[in-house]
Amino acid sequence: MSSLADKEAVAETLIGKCTTSIPLKFEFDPKDNGHTVVLGTTRNGMSGRDALPLFAQDVLLALGSMREEAESSGVSLATLSRLLGMQSTPEGDREILDALRQLGHLVPGLRYSESDGLVRAGDGHQ
C-alpha cells in the first residue's frame, strides 16, 4: 500500500473498483507488531468504521478474516466467538448479534439466520 502513496490515480483505480462487501484485512509485518489496516465499503466512502464501538470493530475484523465463508456457506456464532477469543455462551452470542446489528449499514447483505445459526454476507442468493 505504501507504494501507492505518490500514485493517486493508481490507488483510486484499485480502491475504486473494489467489489467485496466485507472488509479486507492487511497485516504488513509477519511479526505481531499490532499494525493492521482494514478497508471496507460503506457505499458512502470508507469512514464508517471509526464511529463503531470497539467490540463491533473486532467483530468486523473477525468477519473480514472469514470473508469467503461469510459470502458463501456462512460463519457460525461459535466460530466468531473463537476468533474473538471468547467462549461460546448465550451472553456472548447476544453480544455478537448486537455488534452484527451495528454493522448492518457497513456490510451489505449481512444477516443472521436463526434456522441454521449462521452469519452470512453478500447478495443472499444462497
Side-chain angles (χ1 to χ4, degrees), residues 82-112:
R82 190 173 57 253
L83 289 170
L84 293 164
M86 301 167 51
Q87 298 254 341
S88 184
T89 64
E91 296 81 19
D93 289 352
R94 279 193 293 277
E95 191 175 357
I96 291 171
L97 290 171
D98 286 344
L100 291 172
R101 279 189 276 284
Q102 294 169 344
L103 296 172
H105 69 286
L106 287 176
V107 183
L110 182 63
R111 62 207 176 278
Y112 171 71

Side-chain angles (χ1 to χ4, degrees), residues 20-26 37-40 56-71 75 80 83-84 100 103 107 110 119 121:
T20 184
S21 60
I22 294 185
L24 303 172
K25 179 180 176 183
F26 299 93
V37 173
V38 176
L39 298 178
Q57 292 181 32
D58 291 342
V59 171
L60 186 64
L61 286 172
L63 275 173
S65 73
M66 300 290 294
R67 180 174 54 94
E68 288 182 20
E69 292 86 347
E71 290 179 343
V75 178
L80 286 174
L83 289 170
L84 293 164
L100 291 172
L103 296 172
V107 183
L110 182 63
V119 177

Side-chain angles (χ1 to χ4, degrees), residues 18-60:
C18 181
T19 59
T20 184
S21 60
I22 294 185
L24 303 172
K25 179 180 176 183
F26 299 93
E27 293 179 8
F28 293 101
D29 192 334
K31 296 179 222 149
D32 185 16
N33 62 10
H35 296 130
T36 300
V37 173
V38 176
L39 298 178
T41 178
T42 63
R43 303 287 191 235
N44 295 318
M46 298 176 77
S47 60
R49 182 177 171 266
D50 295 331
L52 289 172
L54 291 177
F55 185 72
Q57 292 181 32
D58 291 342
V59 171
L60 186 64

